[in-house]
Amino acid sequence: MANKTTDQVKRWIEDSSLAIYLALRNDDLAGVACLSRDDKVLLNYVEPNHRFMGVSSGLLKHIEQAAARRGAEKIKLESTKTAYCFYKARGYLSDPTNADRSHLWMIKNLTDQR
């Protein structure tokens, strides 16, 4: 989260249009995810000591289910190059409407999760 400022994270927490989800492992804060009202994943972060233990997958599944329950047909996120294969393996595809190829926008159909 080096590119996330304390003020930015505080604004996200205080913003009622965003849903913030926390993942705990053995009473440790293991990860955090943020979903916007327009069904964009704004954050899916795992604390380094909890990487490769299913935390990110669990957070992602939870926010996909939350978006599907409220009627979303699709969910969108901007991936890093590092995370691209992670999201692709979980059903995300490059967003065909993305005109700006400098960003890795990905999208997933949620209609089968209802």
Side-chain angles (χ1 to χ4, degrees):
M1 293 209 1
N3 64 341
K4 308 296 185 263
T5 66
T6 302
D7 287 340
Q8 180 183 23
V9 173
K10 183 179 177 189
R11 281 192 301 273
W12 284 347
I13 292 169
E14 293 171 346
D15 187 338
S16 63
S17 72
L18 302 177
I20 306 286
Y21 300 98
L22 303 177
L24 300 175
R25 289 190 74 244
N26 303 321
D27 296 324
D28 289 334
L29 179 59
V32 61
C34 180
L35 178 66
S36 70
R37 199 170 273 165
D38 63 349
D39 306 311
K40 288 183 186 154
V41 178
L42 301 179
L43 183 65
N44 185 11
Y45 174 79
V46 176
E47 201 279 329
N49 291 332
H50 296 279
R51 291 181 67 210
F52 307 111
M53 297 180 185
V55 175
S56 187
S57 295
L59 283 167
L60 189 61
K61 185 174 182 177
H62 186 79
I63 53 181
E64 289 171 357
Q65 291 170 342
R69 278 193 304 273
R70 67 182 188 202
E73 293 182 7
K74 296 180 180 178
I75 193 166
K76 188 172 183 174
L77 58 81
E78 183 180 7
S79 178
T80 62
K81 289 179 183 177
T82 303
Y84 182 84
C85 290
F86 168 83
Y87 291 118
K88 191 171 181 178
R90 282 148 187 85
Y92 286 78
L93 302 172
S94 294
D95 184 353
T97 66
N98 181 22
D100 180 0
R101 297 295 174 202
S102 67
H103 297 274
L104 296 174
W105 284 104
M106 301 183 81
I107 197 161
K108 183 176 181 179
N109 185 341
L110 297 178
T111 55
D112 58 340
Q113 294 196 24
R114 290 190 183 141

